[in-house]
């Protein structure tokens, strides 16, 4: 029985709805729904246009900001590279100075080693011979000066 009641209630409800919608009510409801759908699409189109415009403006503004940031970054990098180059040049100058000092010290050291070896090999005679050679050169120079002085005195 409960099944037939449900069935009867459904039939009664459908009959009442059909009675209400007859006489152009269906067309009016479709027209109303079409109007609502059209307004919804228009609203969505407007929202899309606003979003598009806002997005384009934001992209333009952000690209300007991005370009400024890239320019600033480029300037910072160039400044850092210039400072690095200056520091590198100072370091190279310091190394060149050290190399020159080291070369001079090496020459003096090598000269001292050679003299030590000569003295060891000759039993100290090399120093004496060097001293005597210097003495003879000085004595020769003095004799030449004395000779020139006597030559001028006799020539006058």
């Amino acid at each position: 029985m409960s099944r037939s009641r449900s069935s009867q209630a459904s039939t009664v409800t459908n009959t009442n709805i059909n009675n209400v919608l007859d006489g152009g009510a269906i067309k009016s409801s479709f027209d109303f729904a079409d109007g609502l759908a059209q307004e919804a699409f228009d609203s969505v189109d407007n929202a899309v246009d606003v979003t598009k415009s806002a997005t384009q403006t934001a992209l333009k503004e952000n690209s300007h900001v991005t370009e400024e940031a890239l320019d600033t970054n480029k300037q910072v990098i160039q400044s850092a590279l210039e400072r690095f180059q200056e520091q590198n040049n100072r370091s190279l100058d310091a190394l060149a100075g050290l190399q020159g000092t080291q070369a001079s010290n090496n020459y003096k050291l090598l000269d001292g080693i050679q003299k030590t070896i000569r003295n060891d090999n000759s039993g100290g005679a090399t120093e004496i011979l060097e001293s005597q050679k210097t003495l003879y050169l000085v004595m020769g120079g003095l004799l030449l000066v004395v000779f020139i002085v006597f030559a001028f005195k006799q020539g006058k």
Side-chain angles (χ1 to χ4, degrees):
M1 278 258 179
S2 64
R3 200 171 197 187
S4 66
R5 277 188 190 170
S6 172
S7 173
Q8 287 176 354
S10 176
T11 303
V12 170
T13 305
N14 287 340
T15 304
N16 289 339
I17 291 173
N18 286 340
N19 288 337
V20 171
L21 295 178
D22 285 339
I26 294 175
K27 183 176 184 321
S28 295
S29 63
F30 277 117
D31 289 343
F32 178 73
D34 184 47
L36 284 177
Q38 190 62 35
E39 285 184 31
F41 283 126
D42 289 343
S43 295
V44 169
D45 286 341
N46 287 339
V48 167
D49 289 341
V50 168
T51 303
K52 178 181 174 183
S53 174
T55 302
Q56 286 176 342
T57 303
L59 285 174
K60 286 178 185 175
E61 292 299 319
N62 284 336
S63 70
H64 179 68
V65 169
T66 302
E67 287 175 11
E68 288 180 4
L70 288 174
D71 289 343
T72 302
N73 194 23
K74 180 181 177 183
Q75 291 171 355
V76 168
I77 289 171
Q78 285 177 340
S79 176
L81 285 174
E82 288 171 2
R83 290 181 185 158
F84 180 70
Q85 183 179 11
E86 290 171 7
Q87 180 63 36
N88 194 27
N89 287 340
R90 286 193 296 267
S91 296
L92 288 173
D93 290 344
L95 286 173
L98 288 173
Q99 185 180 13
T101 302
Q102 186 64 37
S104 174
N105 290 341
N106 287 346
Y107 175 77
K108 291 174 185 175
L109 180 62
L110 182 61
D111 189 42
I113 291 170
Q114 287 174 341
K115 284 182 181 178
T116 302
I117 291 172
R118 272 190 238 127
N119 285 337
D120 285 348
N121 288 341
S122 66
T126 306
E127 280 187 28
I128 294 171
L129 290 175
E130 288 291 324
S131 298
Q132 285 178 350
K133 183 167 62 171
T134 305
L135 177 65
Y136 289 141
L137 286 175
V138 170
M139 286 175 52
L142 284 174
L143 285 175
L144 183 62
V145 169
V146 168
F147 178 73
I148 291 174
V149 169
F150 280 128
F152 277 114
K153 281 188 180 182
Q154 286 182 2
K156 282 190 172 181

